[in-house]
């Protein structure tokens, strides 16, 4: 019995740490790298030291302990002290499907990939150094240009003819586009970003001041009308904004127009530019000013009606505040956090809707207890005349605002109000921590990517040698086909999954 156990026992040295198990344990997951070690001809295909009778793999020893435990117990757990991409690469090397990760560790394993996917859409531009010249042939030959950066560079520049052929238009297009789109590409781009930020703040300040009475004096205007060959003068009062605020707004709109035209002219992909929400906001905020200036000199009734409508829709100018997302990473992270927390927001809305409906109904009937018998509607003594009115009170109470415009006046109504306030606190407190955690994770990753220095020392791949991760003897004399023909299969599989 003991001799049989010794023959079945196998020693695997991973990164200098010796692990001992049984061949029968490795056979529990057929089709994986470790299961091939249980075959009789395994020493012919892997780095095997016959003197000490052990296999050697130059891989992460800490991760391998969890992988080997998966063969023993049938449960694959993710270590908390290992970076997600590293664990993913190790699983690919050993030929284990990532879907085998236990549910308790699945979110920990997936969170790095979900964060990367969410950040790629807005952090990619900040990481590109589009203001530099194209990489030289020597850099490409010696491997000094990172493949992922080059792929991202090509995607950002678009598939235009000028870029493909390296013409002057392609170079100028890339440089000018980076000046107006990526504040981190060069010092000139930062100056343009500061100028844009200045005009945004001035425009918003002007918009707010235009609503103040001190900047809108009342002016008496005279309108002459001829009725039956008789000249009639009509005097009417009109509010008019002081001229210097209009001039300031005109200067700001001139800058925004110049910026918009430069960005759309040098944009690599015009269709994506038109579809972008921020670009639509830019256009919508600019057009009303020119229409208002063009119609201000007309005296027809239709022109005045259109002019009055345009003055009403001036509020679209406040949308320029969203342009700040181009210059502040935190605002972009906030937008992506809201997008990633859609399920939590829907859950919060559902909870609030249920609570509003329940407590609005309860307060309506609770306030009718003890009503005056001579009151046919039983509502003269209370603010809650019907259930729809109670919706407003329930929303204000559950969100802990408490405006005081509506309040219960009976003992039973006060009890319902107290329950409504407590339920609101608990309802809001449940999904909010998830949203806060999402923001913290995205913000930390965005800051890390923004402050990450360029790598100066490039990793030079080694030729396959005994003990290396890519080592596998090519001569296979066994009648069994190796489940892992070559380690490159795992590397390609890993790269294809992460791209």
């Amino acid at each position: 019995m003991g001799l049989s156990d010794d023959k079945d026992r196998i020693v695997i040295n991973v990164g200098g740490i010796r692990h001992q198990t049984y061949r029968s344990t490795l056979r529990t997951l057929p089709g994986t790298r470790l299961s091939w070690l249980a075959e009789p001809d395994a020493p012919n295909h892997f780095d095997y030291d016959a003197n000490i009778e052990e296999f050697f793999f130059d891989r992460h020893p800490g991760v391998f302990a969890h992988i080997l435990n998966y063969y023993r117990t049938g449960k694959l757990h993710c270590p908390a002290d290992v970076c997600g991409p590293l664990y993913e690469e190790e699983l690919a090397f050993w030929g284990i499907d990532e879907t085998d990760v236990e549910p308790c560790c699945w979110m920990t394993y997936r969170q790095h990939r979900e964060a990367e996917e969410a950040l790629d859409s807005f952090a990619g531009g900040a990481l590109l150094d589009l203001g530099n010249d194209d990489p030289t042939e020597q850099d490409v030959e010696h491997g000094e240009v990172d493949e992922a950066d080059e792929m991202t560079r090509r995607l950002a520049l678009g598939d235009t003819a000028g870029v493909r052929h390296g013409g002057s238009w392609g170079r100028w297009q890339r440089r000018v586009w980076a000046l107006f789109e990526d504040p981190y590409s060069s010092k000139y781009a930062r100056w343009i970003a500061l100028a844009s930020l200045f005009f945004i703040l001035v425009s918003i300040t002007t918009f707010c001041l235009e609503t103040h009475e001190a900047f809108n004096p009342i002016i008496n205007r005279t309108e002459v009308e001829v009725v039956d060959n008789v000249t009639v003068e009509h005097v009417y009062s009109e509010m008019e904004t002081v001229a210097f605020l209009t001039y300031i707004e005109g200067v700001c709109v001139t800058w925004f127009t110049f910026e918009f035209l430069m960005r759309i002219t040098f944009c690599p992909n015009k269709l994506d530019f038109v579809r972008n929400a921020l670009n639509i906001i830019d256009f919508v905020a600019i057009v009303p000013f020119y229409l208002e200036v063009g119609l201000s000199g007309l005296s027809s009734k239709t022109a005045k009606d259109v002019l009055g409508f345009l003055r009403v829709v001036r509020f679209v100018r406040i949308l320029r505040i969203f342009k700040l997302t181009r210059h502040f990473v935190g605002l972009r992270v906030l937008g992506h956090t809201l997008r990633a927390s859609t399920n939590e927001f829907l859950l919060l809305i559902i909870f609030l809707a249920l609570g509003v409906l329940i407590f609005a109904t309860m307060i309506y009937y609770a306030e009718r207890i003890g009503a005056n018998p001579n009151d046919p509607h039983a509502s003269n003594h209370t603010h809650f005349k019907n259930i729809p009115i109670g919706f407003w009170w329930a929303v204000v109470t559950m969100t802990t605002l408490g405006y005081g415009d509506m309040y219960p006046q009976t003992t039973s109504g006060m009890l319902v109000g107290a329950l409504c306030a407590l339920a609101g606190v608990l309802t809001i407190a449940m999904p909010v921590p998830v949203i806060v955690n999402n923001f913290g994770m995205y913000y930390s990753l965005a800051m890390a990517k923004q402050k990450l220095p360029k790598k100066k020392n490039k990793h030079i791949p080694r030729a396959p040698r005994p003990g290396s991760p890519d080592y596998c003897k090519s001569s296979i004399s066994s009648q069994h086909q190796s489940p892992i023909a070559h380690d490159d299969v795992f590397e390609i599989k890993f790269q294809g999954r992460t791209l």
Side-chain angles (χ1 to χ4, degrees):
M1 183 67 180
L3 182 60
S4 177
D5 290 343
D6 292 338
K7 290 183 178 180
D8 190 46
R9 194 174 301 170
I10 184 174
V11 178
I12 306 173
N13 188 330
V14 179
I17 305 298
R18 301 176 76 251
H19 301 267
Q20 202 168 24
T21 186
Y22 293 105
R23 287 181 170 84
S24 58
T25 301
L26 302 182
R27 294 190 184 99
T28 57
L29 293 176
T32 60
R33 187 182 296 271
L34 289 180
S35 67
W36 180 245
L37 296 182
E39 299 296 330
D41 56 349
N44 298 327
H45 309 309
F46 296 96
D47 185 8
Y48 180 74
D49 191 337
N51 295 327
I52 56 179
E53 297 183 349
E54 70 176 22
F55 292 92
F56 177 78
F57 291 92
D58 191 10
R59 303 299 297 187
H60 195 289
V63 175
F64 180 76
H66 291 80
I67 293 176
L68 184 59
N69 191 60
Y70 175 42
Y71 285 81
R72 294 167 176 160
T73 63
K75 296 182 179 181
L76 180 61
H77 294 278
C78 179
D81 58 342
V82 175
C83 184
L86 172 61
Y87 190 66
E88 184 178 4
E89 184 178 0
E90 290 297 315
L91 290 181
F93 176 82
W94 296 108
I96 297 176
D97 193 352
E98 63 177 4
T99 58
D100 295 340
V101 176
E102 289 297 306
C104 59
C105 298
W106 179 250
M107 294 304 298
T108 303
Y109 171 74
R110 282 283 304 180
Q111 66 180 1
H112 77 278
R113 190 182 302 173
E114 294 175 354
E116 289 292 335
E117 292 173 355
L119 287 172
D120 282 344
S121 58
F122 74 94
L127 297 176
L128 290 175
D129 190 11
L130 299 178
N132 295 339
D133 293 332
D134 295 336
T136 61
E137 296 181 359
Q138 292 80 4
D139 293 338
V140 177
E141 181 180 356
H142 294 290
E144 296 181 4
V145 178
D146 186 70
E147 183 178 356
D149 290 345
E150 182 62 24
M151 176 64 70
T152 310
R153 184 189 300 273
R154 290 198 305 248
L155 292 176
L157 296 179
D159 194 18
T160 59
V163 174
R164 288 197 306 267
H165 296 89
S168 59
W169 166 251
R171 290 192 295 270
W172 278 105
Q173 182 186 34
R174 180 173 69 254
R175 292 173 181 174
V176 176
W177 171 252
L179 283 177
F180 289 89
E181 185 68 17
D182 183 11
Y184 304 98
S185 60
S186 64
K187 63 178 181 179
Y188 302 106
R190 284 191 289 270
W191 292 349
I192 293 178
L194 290 176
S196 180
L197 177 62
F198 171 76
F199 284 109
I200 290 172
L201 297 178
V202 171
S203 177
I204 294 174
T205 304
T206 303
F207 171 76
C208 296
L209 293 178
E210 286 179 355
T211 61
H212 197 278
E213 295 84 356
F215 300 97
N216 290 276
I218 303 299
I219 299 177
N220 294 326
R221 294 187 181 275
T222 302
E223 183 177 349
V224 179
E225 183 180 3
V226 179
V227 180
D228 296 333
N229 296 326
V230 178
T231 302
V232 180
E233 292 185 356
H234 298 283
V235 180
Y236 60 94
S237 300
E238 184 180 33
M239 185 176 63
E240 185 179 89
T241 305
V242 292
F244 76 89
L245 289 181
T246 304
Y247 297 149
I248 294 176
E249 177 63 17
V251 174
C252 295
V253 171
T254 302
W255 167 261
F256 295 140
T257 304
F258 168 75
E259 183 184 27
F260 183 82
L261 292 177
M262 293 295 292
R263 293 177 66 247
I264 195 173
T265 301
F266 293 92
C267 175
N269 194 321
K270 302 295 189 296
L271 183 59
D272 290 344
F273 183 88
V274 173
R275 291 177 178 176
N276 187 274
L278 290 178
N279 299 328
I280 295 176
I281 291 175
D282 289 348
F283 181 78
V284 172
I286 290 173
V287 170
F289 177 83
Y290 290 106
L291 293 178
E292 188 174 344
V293 172
L295 295 174
S296 60
L298 302 180
S299 59
S300 63
K301 185 178 184 303
T302 304
K304 291 182 178 180
D305 293 339
V306 175
L307 188 60
F309 173 75
L310 292 176
R311 287 173 179 170
V312 172
V313 297
R314 283 180 176 179
F315 71 91
V316 297
R317 290 160 51 188
I318 200 63
L319 297 179
R320 289 175 183 156
I321 194 69
F322 292 106
K323 291 166 63 71
L324 296 177
T325 57
R326 292 197 185 102
H327 312 292
F328 295 99
V329 176
L331 293 178
R332 284 181 288 176
V333 172
L334 178 60
H336 285 267
T337 301
L338 298 178
R339 187 183 308 171
S341 306
T342 303
N343 293 334
E344 286 75 19
F345 279 113
L346 291 177
L347 188 63
L348 177 60
I349 292 174
I350 292 174
F351 285 166
L352 285 176
L354 292 176
V356 167
L357 180 60
I358 292 173
F359 287 107
T361 304
M362 291 178 63
I363 195 66
Y364 172 76
Y365 287 104
E367 283 291 279
R368 269 145 186 76
I369 299 177
N372 188 353
N374 297 326
D375 182 9
H377 295 285
S379 61
N380 291 335
H381 67 291
T382 181
H383 299 285
F384 303 95
K385 309 296 182 182
N386 50 63
I387 292 179
I389 292 179
F391 289 162
W392 166 251
W393 170 85
V395 170
V396 172
T397 304
M398 292 190 70
T399 55
T400 67
L401 291 176
Y403 288 121
D405 54 342
M406 298 175 62
Y407 53 90
Q409 296 178 346
T410 63
T411 303
S412 57
M414 294 177 182
L415 179 61
V416 172
L419 294 176
C420 181
L422 292 176
V425 172
L426 297 176
T427 299
I428 296 176
M430 285 188 286
V432 167
V434 179
I435 301 173
V436 174
N437 290 337
N438 288 339
F439 180 83
M441 179 181 62
Y442 293 149
Y443 188 79
S444 61
L445 287 175
M447 290 294 100
K449 279 195 169 186
Q450 184 180 351
K451 298 178 181 179
L452 187 66
K454 280 189 175 182
K455 294 182 179 180
K456 297 182 179 179
N457 299 323
K458 299 295 183 179
H459 181 267
I460 302 176
R462 298 179 299 173
R465 66 186 67 180
S468 69
D470 295 332
Y471 177 75
C472 183
K473 295 181 181 179
S474 57
S475 59
I476 301 178
S477 58
S478 174
Q479 60 181 356
H480 301 286
Q481 181 64 29
S482 171
I484 304 169
H486 197 275
D487 293 346
D488 292 343
V489 175
F490 289 91
E491 301 299 328
I492 295 175
K493 178 180 177 183
F494 169 72
Q495 294 176 3
R497 188 181 305 157
T498 55
L499 285 178

